[in-house]
Amino acid sequence: MTDDRMQGDKLLCEVFKSSRKDEMYLYVDKRDGLAEVPPALLERFGKPISVMTLILTPQRSLGRAKVGDVMAAIREQGFYLQLPPAKEEYLLDLYRTPTEARY
């Protein structure tokens, strides 16, 4: 990714969500689409579902990722993969603890 459109402080980005894993997203350059994403990753990701297009700038904030990291990854490797957040340990403990039936 070395053409001049990737050198500025703005990046037109398309975000896809995974059809297989909740809260997993792929950020790519809108003009390239999924062409730079490795086939093995796409296979594990499932069918990409487009959820939004946005302009990334250093001033923009994202919910769970640093915009600078996202832009750098897209420029260097053609995509940024956002994984689901880690489950809180106490929630896992609640899941493992048997609940008693109350009548």
Side-chain angles (χ1 to χ4, degrees):
M1 299 267 153
T2 57
D3 63 26
D4 60 347
R5 69 179 181 207
M6 297 294 281
Q7 301 304 317
D9 64 348
K10 293 182 182 178
L11 179 72
L12 185 61
C13 175
E14 185 164 10
V15 182
F16 295 90
K17 73 177 183 175
S18 170
S19 62
R20 290 194 179 155
K21 185 78 172 165
D22 285 340
E23 299 187 62
M24 183 181 286
Y25 296 91
L26 265 173
Y27 293 70
V28 298
D29 184 311
K30 172 79 172 169
R31 292 161 281 225
D32 295 333
L34 299 165
E36 299 292 323
V37 180
L41 175 57
L42 283 176
E43 185 177 317
R44 292 189 60 113
F45 190 77
K47 180 180 179 178
I49 302 164
S50 180
V51 292
M52 74 175 83
T53 299
L54 57 133
I55 297 173
L56 296 179
T57 66
Q59 297 78 26
R60 184 178 197 101
S61 64
L62 297 172
R64 291 197 329 245
K66 294 180 181 175
V67 75
D69 293 345
V70 174
M71 291 174 75
I74 292 171
R75 288 180 172 144
E76 291 168 16
Q77 64 188 16
F79 66 94
Y80 174 85
L81 177 64
Q82 178 179 304
L83 298 172
K87 300 289 186 203
E88 295 291 333
E89 190 61 35
Y90 76 91
L91 291 176
L92 292 174
D93 289 340
L94 289 174
Y95 176 75
R96 290 182 198 127
T97 304
T99 58
E100 54 185 76
R102 296 183 185 166
Y103 298 97

